[in-house]
Amino acid sequence: MKNIIFSSMLFASGFAYSASYDCTVTKKQDFDSNYSAVQIEKLKFSVKIHDIAQPKVERCSFQPSANRVTCDSYDIDRVEVDKYVSIKKFYVFKSQFDVQLFPDMTFLENNGRGGIAFGICKPLR
């Protein structure tokens, strides 16, 4: 119960102040496959949410050709907060995806083309 209250307070503070989150993918699937834990670890999927005056989202993964993790950055077109359950939703219209941040610091990325990823976020300092 203490963790829920703390998480809620932390998340609620993100609405009033600028915050950034590093979100690690723990489960990922698309039309024809579920990624295994080994694949997820190898490809190092993550999302960074920058909930600032000009919100941005970065989608990151390991790129074998670069031999490192690279990130693509997207400007957020719209941010919505569900007034009933406090889910914060970040929409990127041109790229047809959204990222949803939940009060318990879990997230969901819907790439808009049949892929979905889930995981856990931590505040960036």
Side-chain angles (χ1 to χ4, degrees):
M1 184 65 170
K2 289 180 186 177
N3 287 341
I4 292 171
I5 292 169
F6 175 74
S7 296
S8 296
M9 288 171 45
L10 179 65
F11 189 70
S13 69
F15 294 141
Y17 306 103
S18 297
S20 291
Y21 304 94
D22 185 14
C23 305
T24 303
V25 172
T26 57
K27 183 176 179 184
K28 185 173 176 71
Q29 59 191 63
D30 58 30
F31 279 121
D32 55 0
S33 65
N34 289 322
Y35 289 79
S36 70
V38 171
Q39 290 172 307
I40 290 171
E41 176 61 31
K42 179 180 177 184
L43 296 173
K44 301 190 184 314
F45 295 113
S46 68
V47 173
K48 290 179 178 55
I49 301 169
H50 303 286
D51 189 8
I52 53 179
Q54 298 281 325
K56 295 185 178 296
V57 169
E58 295 178 69
R59 298 162 84 188
C60 307
S61 64
F62 180 78
Q63 296 299 316
S65 60
N67 198 32
R68 64 183 175 90
V69 172
T70 63
C71 301
D72 295 325
S73 181
Y74 302 87
D75 292 327
I76 299 298
D77 295 305
R78 185 174 182 100
V79 177
E80 290 290 331
V81 178
D82 182 287
K83 64 183 179 180
Y84 299 107
V85 291
S86 299
I87 300 169
K88 197 157 194 182
K89 302 174 185 180
F90 302 86
Y91 295 97
V92 180
F93 297 143
K94 186 175 181 181
S95 299
Q96 301 178 357
F97 79 90
D98 63 85
V99 176
Q100 300 176 33
L101 182 59
F102 295 84
D104 66 355
M105 298 303 288
T106 58
F107 81 100
L108 179 148
E109 176 199 2
N110 170 13
N111 81 7
R113 294 172 298 282
I116 194 164
F118 308 89
I120 299 170
C121 299
K122 295 178 185 170
L124 284 172
R125 296 195 191 327

